[in-house]
Amino acid sequence: MSDIHLKNLVKSYGENIAVAGIDLHIRQGEFFSLLGPSGCGKSTTLRMIAGFIRPTVGQILIGSDDVTRLPPEKRDIGIVFQNYAIFPHMNVADNIAFGLKLRKKSHEDIDRAVAFALRQVGLVGYENRYQRQLSGGEQQRVALARVLVTEPRILLLDEPLSALDKALREEMKYWIKDLQKSLGITTVYVTHDQDEALTMSDRVGVMQKARVEQVGTPQEIYERPKTLFVTTFIGQSNVIDVTVRGRQGERLSVDFGDSTVLTRAPVAEVSVGSAAKLVIRPENVIIGAAGAGLSATVVSETYQGALVRYRLSVAGQEIVAERQNQAHLARFSPGEVVGVSWDPDRSEALVA
Amino acid sequence: MAATTTTGTADEGTGMRRIGLFRTVSAGPAFWWLVLPAFLFFLVFFVVPTVSLFALAFNKSAAGVISLSSAVTFDNFLRIFTRSIYYESILRSIGIAGAVSFICLVFGYPLAYVIAKTTNPGRNTLLMILVLSSMQLDMVIRLYGLMVLLGDNGLINAMLLRFGIISAALPLMYNVFGVIVGLVQITLPFMILSLIGVIKSIHPSLEEAARSLGASRAKAFFSVVLPLSMPGVLAGTLLVFALAISSYVVPALMGGWKVMVMPIHIYQQVAETGRWQFGAAIAVVLFLTSLMAIAVYHRAAMRTTGGRS
Ligand SMILES: Nc1ncnc2c1ncn2[C@@H]1O[C@H](COP(=O)(O)OP(=O)(O)O)[C@@H](O)[C@H]1O
Ligand SMILES: [Mg+2]
């Protein structure tokens, strides 16, 4: 098991740049997700780590080995594809034994390893089935078993859940995560699904337009987004136009309509009077009686079971607020004038 | 891929159920009207004449007679299997067609593989044009071209003689070699076209999965791509074999009447001596030989691929 270093990794197809210089350190044993919209370069990055794509520029290290020029079969990696790629002309046992046979293991060793792997993925009794006799979830497990028996240094997964239906996806999400934890194998997981990335990962790299925009724990990514893209791609955010008034240590005061509000200051320098975006998650917007905070008018109320969602008009801009549907919390009706506030530490100022 | 190993039970988890060996396509009455023209054409212009010709094989051989009589005899077949000139031509036909199939497979597979794997649309079109363009010209014209190349005074011999590499012209034509070259030239596109579709249908991730599990490029090819492309290999070789064994024009032009294969005998009997009955008998034997060779090959191929095609 090993860590992975990506150093200034670039892949271009003529004019088209699929990956535009990625620097990442994926730590030993961690579950790292590359999250981003379709076409942002996630698969290209993963396939460069796997060795299927030769980088235009840059370097890839697995452990201390520079594998940049090595073919996939020499990299000691395991990869699970979106379509699972179960060999249709081999049964489950032969699929799982494939990598071990190439490693010239003895028959007894292979049989033992295959039996162990089948137990590990909960497919005992499936030895003689063929791909066409397996459901999507079962193929997924075979694909993982086939990879894990070879004890690769790193595990790569490219949207492994996207072909499954929702219920199975939920189940497999936790199952894969638990398996990964118990093995402690360094894992790179590619997905466009923020929910998967947030639930499964130790750290997430959010990608957009061939670049990694932010790397952090799921909590950091969600609560302290560094860019407007990250904040809008992951979860929902209110993005409000404000004007910078001044910095006060960790805080920034900004003008929002006629009022001045406080927010967490960005690391970057901001000049007084410049335009900025104030970013607040709907669940962090506090609605109170009129007079408490900014004056707002309720535009609509949407009942969502566990949550109640309000659209509010504040100084000509719309803010969405969500709150728990609990008996002791008052409800508001459209047209009502209320007060809106938030914890400054729960909001971000981003310079566009 | 036929579901020949599945039983009538539902596979748990897949929600799929296959009943029996075949899934039937139910066609409404309108469907039958649509196939009727082709069916009638096939019946009138293929089945009727072929059956009539084959029936003639069981009549006594008489020059110039082509009317059917009810007196059945097996004399014509007896003659084929007792005269070496005829039964040897059966073996020669099988041998040449087999060699042509094999050569086409060896030559055609790499090209089909490259075409199937080329993602660049421009390059793909170019390669396809290259393959198909050879089919644009009439067979006879293409063979005349080959004769210009392979003849005693042809390009190859002229060149080798000029540079003193040989002192007498190499026999490149009017022999089995020439016939095989001609047949390969004619049938290679059929092999390539049979293979391209099948190779294209093998998802690239299968080959990549093999590579990631430790297989070299060659190992991944032989353990994954080749076995999965067997349906195309089978279809291509059978098609080429059938075209080669039944070809008359190629052995006639490239063999110069010296390479006696079955279609040449048929032509001679019918067109030169007017013995339609004997010619028909050779045609029947050719037809059955071809069918049998195909059946034997098919069985062997099915066995080596574990009954999967
Ligand atoms: N072989 C290729 N030739 C040209 N462009 C490619 C090729 N492969 C990928 N791309 C482009 O690179 C970009 C990133 O692709 P990809 O890594 O597959 O995205 P993702 O996995 O994030 O959806 C896309 O714009 C895609 O069109
Ligand atoms: Mg992708």
Side-chain angles (χ1 to χ4, degrees):
Chain A
M1 258 147 258
S2 307
D3 58 348
I4 306 167
H5 282 277
L6 307 183
K7 293 183 178 167
N8 186 31
L9 207 56
V10 175
K11 179 65 195 181
S12 58
Y13 295 100
E15 299 277 276
N16 189 359
I17 296 170
V19 172
I22 287 184
D23 285 284
L24 267 184
H25 176 220
I26 295 159
R27 298 173 193 142
Q28 176 156 334
E30 92 173 322
F31 193 117
F32 189 95
S33 290
L34 283 173
L35 170 67
S38 173
C40 70
K42 309 179 294 289
S43 295
T44 306
T45 307
L46 196 79
R47 294 166 60 75
M48 285 195 280
I49 301 174
F52 299 128
I53 298 176
R54 183 66 54 96
T56 311
V57 176
Q59 216 182 7
I60 301 165
L61 276 76
I62 300 178
S64 53
D65 305 333
D66 184 341
V67 300
T68 317
R69 312 249 153 249
L70 286 185
E73 66 268 24
K74 299 252 171 70
R75 293 193 180 194
D76 201 5
I77 50 131
I79 182 163
V80 173
F81 295 89
Q82 190 169 358
N83 65 355
Y84 318 127
I86 305 302
F87 304 131
H89 58 306
M90 298 177 196
N91 63 19
V92 166
D94 289 337
N95 262 281
I96 297 175
F98 188 87
L100 297 174
K101 284 181 184 157
L102 289 169
R103 285 165 179 74
K104 305 264 188 288
K105 294 274 200 276
S106 72
H107 272 299
E108 300 84 72
D109 284 352
I110 292 177
D111 289 346
R112 207 173 315 120
V114 169
F116 179 78
L118 283 169
R119 236 176 299 130
Q120 198 172 32
V121 299
L123 286 181
V124 175
Y126 281 63
E127 291 80 352
N128 296 318
R129 292 221 194 174
Y130 283 88
Q131 180 251 351
R132 61 184 181 276
Q133 299 166 311
L134 299 170
S135 71
E138 288 161 356
Q139 291 185 42
Q140 162 93 262
R141 288 166 189 258
V142 174
L144 269 165
R146 182 175 68 180
V147 159
L148 295 176
V149 283
T150 66
E151 296 176 354
R153 288 196 288 179
I154 59 171
L155 176 62
L156 308 172
L157 303 115
D158 193 349
E159 312 242 9
L161 302 182
S162 60
L164 303 178
D165 62 49
K166 192 166 161 27
L168 193 57
R169 199 154 61 217
E170 283 301 305
E171 183 194 325
M172 293 302 287
K173 212 159 70 178
Y174 295 102
W175 183 81
I176 291 176
K177 174 66 196 160
D178 289 347
L179 186 64
Q180 187 270 340
K181 264 259 144 7
S182 71
L183 295 172
I185 185 169
T186 311
T187 300
V188 186
Y189 185 96
V190 159
T191 180
H192 65 270
D193 184 311
Q194 45 150 320
D195 189 44
E196 282 172 23
L198 294 181
T199 359
M200 300 172 83
S201 315
D202 295 317
R203 286 193 306 151
V204 180
V206 184
M207 287 187 72
Q208 190 212 7
K209 293 196 181 130
R211 294 179 186 281
V212 175
E213 290 229 353
Q214 185 173 356
V215 176
T217 63
Q219 187 169 354
E220 284 165 355
I221 293 286
Y222 186 80
E223 292 181 7
R224 296 231 58 189
K226 287 209 183 94
T227 68
L228 217 50
F229 171 77
V230 173
T231 194
T232 48
F233 186 73
I234 295 162
Q236 283 191 314
S237 279
N238 292 294
V239 179
I240 302 158
D241 294 317
V242 293
T243 311
V244 176
R245 175 170 271 254
R247 186 191 278 270
Q248 290 149 14
E250 295 282 289
R251 300 274 174 81
L252 196 71
S253 62
V254 295
D255 285 339
F256 172 24
D258 297 333
S259 323
T260 300
V261 293
L262 285 176
T263 175
R264 221 158 28 179
V267 183
E269 276 307 312
V270 282
S271 50
V272 173
S274 65
K277 304 282 185 191
L278 178 64
V279 175
I280 318 160
R281 300 275 181 201
E283 67 266 28
N284 292 330
V285 178
I286 304 162
I287 311 177
L294 305 172
S295 174
T297 311
V298 177
V299 176
S300 70
E301 181 194 39
T302 313
Y303 177 79
Q304 295 182 334
L307 291 175
V308 182
R309 186 182 167 87
Y310 292 97
R311 276 167 61 216
L312 307 160
S313 171
V314 185
Q317 299 195 57
E318 189 175 283
I319 294 183
V320 173
E322 267 172 12
R323 48 199 235 146
Q324 298 295 319
N325 181 15
Q326 286 171 344
H328 68 274
L329 290 175
R331 300 268 295 268
F332 307 97
S333 351
E336 204 171 323
V337 175
V338 295
V340 160
S341 59
W342 53 82
D343 178 350
D345 288 332
R346 289 271 171 177
S347 66
E348 301 282 334
L350 299 175
V351 185
Chain B
M1 264 162 267
T4 46
T5 57
T6 51
T7 59
T9 59
D11 302 326
E12 309 101 64
T14 62
M16 272 193 308
R17 180 183 272 272
R18 289 200 188 87
I19 296 162
L21 295 181
F22 303 102
R23 258 185 291 175
T24 54
V25 178
S26 63
F31 182 76
W32 296 110
W33 287 110
L34 288 173
V35 299
L36 195 63
F39 177 75
L40 281 177
F41 184 91
F42 188 71
L43 186 73
V44 173
F45 295 107
F46 174 71
V47 176
V48 170
T50 308
V51 169
S52 317
L53 182 72
F54 283 4
L56 214 52
F58 297 91
N59 281 173
K60 196 161 180 55
S61 204
V65 177
I66 60 165
S67 58
L68 266 175
S69 97
S70 57
V72 169
T73 168
F74 290 93
D75 284 358
N76 296 325
F77 294 101
L78 212 63
R79 194 170 138 92
I80 292 172
F81 289 106
T82 50
R83 301 257 178 117
S84 64
I85 177 175
Y86 299 121
Y87 66 68
E88 275 173 6
S89 80
I90 299 176
L91 298 177
R92 191 174 296 116
S93 279
I94 295 176
I96 289 175
V100 169
S101 304
F102 179 75
I103 293 167
C104 279
L105 183 61
V106 172
F107 287 2
Y109 200 110
L111 184 54
Y113 184 85
V114 167
I115 295 176
K117 293 285 169 184
T118 301
T119 47
N120 181 329
R123 202 174 303 160
N124 204 319
T125 313
L126 196 77
L127 286 166
M128 281 306 274
I129 288 173
L130 204 73
V131 172
L132 293 174
S133 64
S134 67
M135 296 170 85
Q136 299 297 311
L137 282 175
D138 183 75
M139 196 194 294
V140 177
I141 298 171
R142 280 191 280 159
L143 292 175
Y144 283 146
L146 256 188
M147 293 165 98
V148 170
L149 187 72
L150 298 179
D152 281 356
N153 310 316
L155 279 174
I156 290 180
N157 273 320
M159 202 94 97
L160 292 176
L161 284 168
R162 155 129 359 140
F163 292 114
I165 296 166
I166 51 171
S167 51
L170 289 176
L172 302 175
M173 251 179 62
Y174 302 139
N175 54 17
V176 170
F177 176 80
V179 173
I180 289 179
V181 171
L183 285 170
V184 168
Q185 199 245 54
I186 302 293
T187 55
L188 190 56
F190 293 94
M191 175 65 81
I192 292 168
L193 293 177
S194 305
L195 289 169
I196 288 175
V198 175
I199 297 174
K200 266 202 169 127
S201 73
I202 302 170
H203 201 283
S205 66
L206 292 171
E207 203 175 342
E208 290 176 350
R211 296 291 300 279
S212 72
L213 290 166
S216 64
R217 199 178 269 275
K219 183 74 195 167
F221 174 80
F222 285 108
S223 57
V224 175
V225 180
L226 187 60
L228 289 175
S229 63
M230 279 315 286
V233 170
L234 204 63
T237 42
L238 290 181
L239 182 60
V240 167
F241 184 88
L243 288 168
I245 202 170
S246 60
S247 174
Y248 157 73
V249 177
V250 179
L253 292 183
M254 301 304 294
W257 301 94
K258 293 199 186 93
V259 181
M260 296 307 285
V261 288
M262 297 172 81
I264 298 282
H265 281 303
I266 298 172
Y267 177 81
Q268 283 187 340
Q269 292 303 323
V270 171
E272 291 176 7
T273 64
R275 292 174 188 275
W276 282 76
Q277 293 80 1
F278 189 58
I282 303 174
V284 169
V285 173
L286 171 61
F287 181 67
L288 294 178
T289 304
S290 185
L291 277 188
M292 248 156 52
I294 286 169
V296 167
Y297 173 73
H298 193 261
R299 274 185 78 102
M302 290 303 262
R303 196 163 307 136
T304 56
T305 58
R308 305 179 61 265
S309 72

